[in-house]
Amino acid sequence: MSLGGAFEKARAEGRPLIVGCMPAGFPTVGESIASMIAMVESGIDVIEVELPYSDPVMDGPVIQKASDIALANGVRTRDTFRIIEAVAETGAPVALMTYWNPVERYGVDAFARDLAAAGATGMITPDLIPDEAGEWLAASDAYRLDRTFLVSPSSTDARIAMTLRHCRGWVYATALMGVTGARDAVSSEAPDLVARIRAIDPEIPVGVGLGVRDGAQAAEVGGYADAVIVGSALIRRVLEAPDREAGLAALRELGADLAKGSRSAQR
Amino acid sequence: MTAPALPDLAGHFGRFGGRFVPEALVAALDELDAAYRSAKADPAFQEELGGLLRDYAGTPSLLYSATRLSDRLGARILLKREDLNHTGAHKVRNVLGQALLAKRMGKRRVIAETGAGQHGVASATAAALLDLECVVYMGEVDTERQALNVARMRMLGATVVPVTNGSRTLKDALNEALRDWVASVQTTHYLLGTAAGPAPFPEIVRDFVGGIGTEARAQCLALTGGLPDAVAACVGGGSNAIGIFHAFVPDEGVRLHGFEAGGDGLETGRHAASITGGSTGVLHGARTYILQDADGQTVESHSISAGLDYPGVGPEHSWLHDTGRASYTPVTDREAMDAFQLLCRTEGIIPAIESAHALAGAAKIIPALREELGREPLVIVNLSGRGDKDVHTAGAYFGILDENETIVPEENL
């Protein structure tokens, strides 16, 4: 399913989408595919596959640890495409989140081509702002991929407007000033940021990320966002599990809690 | 050569530079850019900075005619004595400028990354002087090999945070500082230590350290009546090199030579030579030459010098390399340490191991330069820092200290 289709369906149901993030190849290629499929089966709507990178400046310690494990186990860019393909076969929309250098190294056009061929809906670029994205704008047009840039509480309205003009599919609102990681309380800055986005573009779906750890928080964020993005909390379940089966069970449990949260969001 | 005014308005040096950062940092970079433009045009700011550089940092630094070294190398060598600056390196010029900018922006907290500790010590010093809170991120490996500088920073009131991620060196300290900044931009200035990172940092750092070249050029003219044939500097991130090169860029007859850390040799893969042994990519906010694998993952760098042990380089150097205005060559650990010893024994100056790379590189280019010019060349070498911080490393290298940093009896040498 396209991401646009998923947003429409969720809107019709009056609920936000739950986007679950997992690094590709964590801890191995096969296990990451199993984790992502378990996430889909537990009710997570969209899978955000993160390409593990050596210098992830937006990621907190949990995601970086998982990415380091994947890299140490030898995961390569091509494995990421393979993983996306396997997860996309479930029918769930799959978006890639990646820092820019691996894309540039692969070749921007070739990367877009292979990403589209693997069945991804598009790409989220945490360290690529539209100002520097000329090649990606062209390649994403050529292969009809969504392009999701980030906006932040510190963004001016002019920058939000400029960024929204370059986004396609949806926009990623970073809920607070900081790196990824589950937190005890969700951001108070997020509703204001979403309102500022909506005032500029009432149509574009808004995903809110950074800090959500459970269904109750998902319901809270889902009250004003079109998608609730959860990463560290899911990854931690795998990191802290004594074995693979326990990890999958813990993922399913949190996935179900998040899905339930999305359905109880007051919109 | 008529050099275009670089960087351009978007912070690009040709195809290099720019801003590859989380959107959360863009507002802070814009704020910094505006504050810098305003400060640059403000005589009061320039006067305050000039006063600090003169009365506190001890600049202009000397341009010393090193006669015994010159005799040994067959060239007239002028050493730009940045090692005599307060805190022992060129870094103090940059930190005083940026700390004043931080105050101008109303930010009371500065964060910094450091490898060898020179920038960390300089930042802690400027923060103490200007009453700012200071947090320094330092790779855990570097805190061990530069323990003395960790002690210095703490004495000056800074908090030193050992970084345990990744290779636990300068690259990871930079990542951690960027993470801190993403979460604290409203109250904090990131006092970046080299002419790298996202725009406007490469330009700001270049301008603040640019006094090295301006002074050296005027001093050389006064001392010799002419310009040098070549200027030599070591290149890690590249701040001391861009500092001395910049004033000479329009002087076509002056060759600019940057010397990168060749570690065990380029062929071994254990080096930190981003230009000569790397390829174009994006790291720490800018497009530049970096050390990376086939998938664009950063490759761990290696150098005997913690200050050069970084897998990237400032984007202006990448541009100078591509345009051919400056040439970049690797110098191995061994070559650098030979030059280190040579300077100690001929001039009574213990250089930073970083600076020893510049000396070793100068020694390598002199024979060809002599032949080409048909006379003894005049070469300025930027002695970017002093070697106090490197005494343990050098002592171990030469077998003067053992692994417990205990003195080895002379009869065993």
Side-chain angles (χ1 to χ4, degrees):
Chain A
M1 188 190 293
S2 73
L3 198 50
F7 273 115
E8 275 175 33
K9 186 167 172 282
R11 268 185 181 167
E13 293 170 5
R15 68 176 185 90
L17 292 180
I18 299 290
V19 179
C21 175
M22 187 64 57
F26 161 65
T28 64
V29 169
E31 287 173 85
S32 69
I33 293 171
S35 291
M36 293 178 205
I37 290 175
M39 285 156 62
V40 173
E41 288 170 352
S42 68
I44 288 176
D45 302 287
V46 178
I47 301 299
E48 177 186 321
V49 177
E50 177 162 347
L51 195 152
Y53 177 54
S54 51
D55 296 273
V57 293
M58 269 300 280
D59 288 333
V62 172
I63 298 186
Q64 183 168 15
K65 188 171 181 187
S67 291
D68 285 347
I69 290 169
L71 288 171
N73 285 337
V75 71
R76 317 287 296 187
T77 298
R78 287 190 181 283
D79 296 321
T80 302
F81 295 133
R82 194 151 60 86
I83 291 162
I84 289 169
E85 198 170 354
V87 180
E89 279 174 12
T90 64
V94 182
L96 178 69
M97 192 280 228
T98 181
Y99 291 88
W100 185 241
N101 195 52
V103 180
E104 192 157 295
R105 184 68 173 165
Y106 195 91
V108 179
D109 190 76
F111 195 98
R113 178 197 64 208
D114 292 352
L115 187 64
T121 57
M123 199 158 91
I124 306 158
T125 50
D127 65 344
L128 183 73
I129 52 178
D131 319 54
E132 300 281 357
E135 273 192 277
W136 169 230
L137 297 179
S140 52
D141 282 346
Y143 297 98
R144 296 174 182 276
L145 289 164
D146 289 344
R147 48 179 183 248
T148 303
F149 295 106
L150 275 55
V151 290
S152 148
S154 65
S155 305
T156 60
D157 284 348
R159 279 202 66 80
I160 292 176
M162 183 277 288
T163 303
L164 296 180
R165 278 199 305 278
H166 290 96
C167 283
R168 184 165 50 220
W170 59 300
V171 63
Y172 191 127
T174 52
L176 42 77
M177 297 301 288
V179 297
T180 60
R183 289 166 169 86
D184 290 339
V186 293
S187 163
S188 58
E189 294 174 300
D192 290 345
L193 177 59
V194 174
R196 289 168 67 205
I197 293 168
R198 292 249 158 84
I200 293 166
D201 183 343
E203 295 303 316
I204 191 164
V206 183
V208 169
L210 303 191
V212 173
R213 67 171 185 182
D214 57 25
Q217 288 186 346
E220 186 184 340
V221 174
Y224 54 84
D226 300 298
V228 181
I229 304 158
V230 186
S232 296
L234 287 161
I235 294 162
R236 182 174 282 132
R237 297 287 172 122
V238 181
L239 270 173
E240 292 177 351
D243 57 47
R244 184 177 169 180
E245 285 311 312
L248 288 174
L251 268 183
R252 286 199 178 92
E253 183 190 29
L254 179 55
D257 182 41
L258 292 166
K260 192 176 157 200
S262 93
R263 280 160 179 81
S264 65
Q266 300 294 311
R267 294 164 68 81
Chain B
M1 174 179 172
T2 307
L6 291 177
D8 64 17
L9 289 174
H12 294 124
F13 300 86
R15 65 190 177 107
F16 300 106
R19 282 182 184 173
F20 294 83
V21 291
E23 169 67 22
L25 294 181
V26 171
L29 292 169
D30 281 344
E31 180 191 15
L32 176 62
D33 193 64
Y36 179 60
R37 307 283 152 221
S38 145
K40 203 173 175 178
D42 181 355
F45 179 87
Q46 296 299 338
E47 195 181 323
E48 188 176 6
L49 178 57
L52 284 178
L53 288 170
R54 182 186 64 238
D55 302 330
Y56 182 73
T59 68
S61 63
L62 300 175
L63 187 70
Y64 165 67
S65 187
T67 51
R68 290 197 66 218
L69 181 69
S70 295
D71 289 345
R72 287 288 293 273
L73 297 182
R76 183 168 184 196
I77 306 288
L78 303 177
L79 297 176
K80 182 60 176 161
R81 297 290 309 273
E82 289 293 294
D83 59 313
L84 297 178
N85 296 345
H86 181 45
T87 74
H90 68 288
K91 300 281 187 187
V92 70
R93 298 176 187 260
N94 174 41
V95 297
L96 288 174
Q98 285 201 48
L100 282 180
L101 263 185
K103 283 197 90 159
R104 193 178 171 96
M105 290 186 288
K107 297 188 175 181
R108 305 291 312 171
R109 177 176 182 260
V110 293
I111 53 174
E113 83 297 334
T114 198
Q118 276 179 324
H119 175 59
V121 169
S123 298
T125 301
L129 179 71
L130 297 174
D131 193 22
L132 300 167
E133 182 191 348
C134 181
V135 175
V136 180
Y137 291 95
M138 190 169 186
E140 194 178 42
V141 169
D142 292 333
T143 61
E144 287 158 11
R145 57 181 171 176
Q146 299 289 346
L148 203 57
N149 270 341
V150 174
R152 283 196 178 106
M153 287 181 261
R154 289 184 176 159
M155 284 175 200
L156 290 161
T159 303
V160 180
V161 181
V163 176
T164 55
N165 297 326
S167 56
R168 297 177 292 135
T169 57
L170 178 56
K171 160 182 101 70
D172 308 287
L174 222 148
N175 286 332
E176 211 54 40
L178 281 169
R179 285 196 177 105
D180 180 319
W181 205 32
V182 170
S184 65
V185 285
Q186 282 168 337
T187 57
T188 300
H189 172 62
Y190 179 15
L191 215 166
L192 211 152
T194 191
F201 279 112
E203 179 186 6
I204 289 177
V205 177
R206 176 196 73 194
D207 291 354
F208 283 145
V209 295
I212 307 171
T214 311
E215 291 168 17
R217 193 176 182 282
Q219 289 165 325
C220 185
L221 283 169
L223 191 68
T224 71
L227 292 173
D229 297 304
V231 174
C234 65
V235 179
S239 65
N240 89 89
I242 208 69
I244 196 163
F245 285 178
H246 190 59
F248 290 101
V249 167
D251 300 317
E252 283 182 54
V254 179
R255 295 158 177 81
L256 305 176
H257 289 277
F259 295 102
E260 298 192 293
D264 293 342
L266 247 52
E267 69 288 353
T268 67
R270 280 174 51 79
H271 61 82
S274 306
I275 293 177
T276 46
S279 52
T280 307
V282 168
L283 179 66
H284 295 147
R287 180 177 289 114
T288 189
Y289 280 95
I290 62 174
L291 301 181
Q292 59 184 325
D293 68 13
D295 280 343
Q297 306 288 347
T298 311
V299 169
E300 218 170 287
S301 56
H302 164 79
S303 170
I304 191 169
S305 165
L308 300 180
D309 199 352
Y310 176 63
V313 65
E316 192 164 4
H317 285 294
S318 297
W319 179 78
L320 288 170
H321 167 73
D322 268 20
T323 58
R325 179 62 191 92
S327 66
Y328 295 84
T329 316
V331 163
T332 63
D333 287 353
R334 185 177 178 165
E335 290 168 329
M337 295 314 288
D338 286 349
F340 179 99
Q341 193 167 47
L342 180 67
L343 190 70
C344 291
R345 303 283 169 92
T346 56
E347 297 289 346
I349 297 170
I350 300 175
I353 297 176
E354 291 95 322
S355 312
H357 284 72
L359 277 172
K364 282 168 78 163
I365 60 165
I366 283 168
L369 205 51
R370 270 177 77 92
E371 194 171 320
E372 186 190 331
L373 298 171
R375 61 172 167 78
E376 185 177 76
L378 173 63
V379 180
I380 298 180
V381 178
N382 196 18
L383 206 66
S384 54
R386 62 174 169 249
D388 306 28
K389 69 182 174 59
D390 290 328
V391 163
H392 291 312
T393 305
Y397 180 87
F398 293 119
I400 297 165
L401 299 173
D402 66 18
E403 59 188 13
N404 300 316
E405 296 181 353
T406 306
I407 297 165
V408 175
E410 194 145 8
E411 58 270 23
N412 294 348
L413 297 179

